[in-house]
Amino acid sequence: MGVAGVIFLLLALLGFFLAWKRTTRGDEAIAVARYTDSAVWGEDELVYHKKRNDRMEIALTFDDGPHPYYTPIILDILDEYGVSATFFTVGENIEYYPKTAERLLESGHEVENHTFSHARIGNMCYGDIMSEIERCEDAVSAVSERKTKFLRPPQGQMSETVKEVIKNLDYRVVLWDVDTRDWAHTSPEDIRDNVLSVVTAGDIILMHDFIGHDSPTPDALRLLIPELIERGYKFVTVSELIDGNP
Ligand SMILES: [Zn+2]
């Protein structure tokens, strides 16, 4: 093979690599890029990825907690900057970590429903889905006497049955349109840069207060929050973003 042959082969390999990279990134980037409306699934405004507004409001959301180590650290950081957020809690974790749950529920941040056992509800039957949501609601009520009203299905899994259950329970679904990918141990600097490159008013930003070890989330928040404040963004809870009241 001559020099031209080698160059051709390298270019072909590069082409394949770029095409592959685009495909995988495309799949991962769905949450950032795909949703442009304030709600999907028609007229009933049942499922939110964002809620546009002209008040520079955005919502930080934290899934999977409470976590005995990371949740308090995140609460301290939010306090430090005086910003509000929403926690989509797992009922089981409220029961495992009652002290952390109490602090979270007394913090004034919004606490919502991420099912009882972090269940993959996309393939579950009506009764099982309802039980997952209600058992999480019961765990929250046991600590605080407040009820949850927004569901974030684990992994964003939806189905017609999920939709039916949330309608009957008078819930709405809150997904996200900016995924920080903190769950994949993205570096704090990359999380900051990625969010800042896509963020607009009305965004619902996905983060996690329960990541097994070496969570990048606290450091990412310290980098991100001051930048967002400087750009004029206001941090509101999911209820404030969607319904205009806490
Ligand atoms: Zn989750």
Side-chain angles (χ1 to χ4, degrees):
M1 191 168 15
V3 174
V6 171
I7 289 173
F8 175 78
L9 194 65
L10 285 174
L11 284 175
L13 281 172
L14 182 67
F16 277 126
F17 174 70
L18 288 176
W20 168 78
K21 202 157 184 262
R22 201 161 36 239
T23 322
T24 46
R25 286 196 49 159
D27 288 341
E28 288 163 356
I30 278 173
V32 176
R34 192 162 110 194
Y35 305 106
T36 50
D37 294 326
S38 62
V40 293
W41 269 339
E43 312 82 59
D44 49 4
E45 301 227 325
L46 213 55
V47 183
Y48 290 86
H49 294 93
K50 67 187 295 172
K51 179 80 186 283
R52 287 191 186 138
N53 63 72
D54 52 15
R55 297 178 300 282
M56 293 295 279
E57 290 176 357
I58 52 174
L60 281 181
T61 63
F62 298 93
D63 286 12
D64 299 353
H67 185 285
Y69 179 70
Y70 288 116
T71 307
I73 291 178
I74 288 170
L75 288 172
D76 286 345
I77 295 171
L78 297 175
D79 274 359
E80 201 180 301
Y81 292 102
V83 303
S84 300
T86 304
F87 290 77
F88 286 92
T89 52
V90 170
E92 241 171 24
N93 288 339
I94 291 178
E95 294 187 358
Y96 288 149
Y97 310 113
K99 281 222 158 66
T100 312
E102 253 169 59
R103 181 175 167 201
L104 171 62
L105 282 150
E106 285 167 2
S107 68
H109 297 286
E110 184 167 4
V111 176
E112 295 294 349
N113 197 313
H114 196 47
T115 74
F116 183 74
S117 63
H118 205 259
R120 314 290 196 256
I121 58 176
N123 294 319
M124 285 169 69
C125 69
Y126 186 96
D128 289 348
I129 297 169
M130 184 164 271
S131 151
E132 277 289 338
I133 298 172
E134 286 184 331
R135 286 176 73 201
C136 178
E137 183 179 308
D138 290 347
V140 170
S141 303
V143 188
S144 71
E145 290 182 8
R146 78 178 292 286
K147 286 168 87 83
T148 54
K149 55 187 174 183
F150 290 105
L151 170 72
R152 174 172 283 161
Q155 303 180 333
Q157 286 189 3
M158 291 295 299
S159 70
E160 284 306 311
T161 317
V162 171
K163 196 179 162 187
E164 215 181 309
V165 174
I166 59 165
K167 264 186 177 169
N168 289 340
L169 287 176
D170 205 15
Y171 267 64
R172 283 168 291 166
V173 167
V174 171
L175 299 176
W176 58 87
D177 74 336
V178 178
D179 181 355
T180 61
R181 296 179 53 77
D182 59 345
W183 50 271
H185 293 278
T186 306
S187 76
E189 292 76 14
D190 283 350
I191 289 175
R192 174 197 57 198
D193 295 347
N194 295 342
V195 172
L196 290 175
S197 68
V198 295
V199 68
T200 55
D203 279 343
I204 297 170
I205 299 173
L206 172 68
M207 301 187 97
H208 294 79
D209 59 331
F210 199 121
I211 291 175
H213 59 95
D214 296 333
S215 169
T217 313
D219 286 343
L221 285 170
R222 290 188 185 284
L223 295 175
L224 190 54
I225 293 175
E227 290 266 7
L228 288 168
I229 290 174
E230 198 170 316
R231 291 188 184 192
Y233 286 105
K234 294 181 186 73
F235 297 84
V236 296
T237 61
V238 158
S239 286
E240 288 172 286
L241 186 79
I242 291 173
D243 294 331
N245 49 42

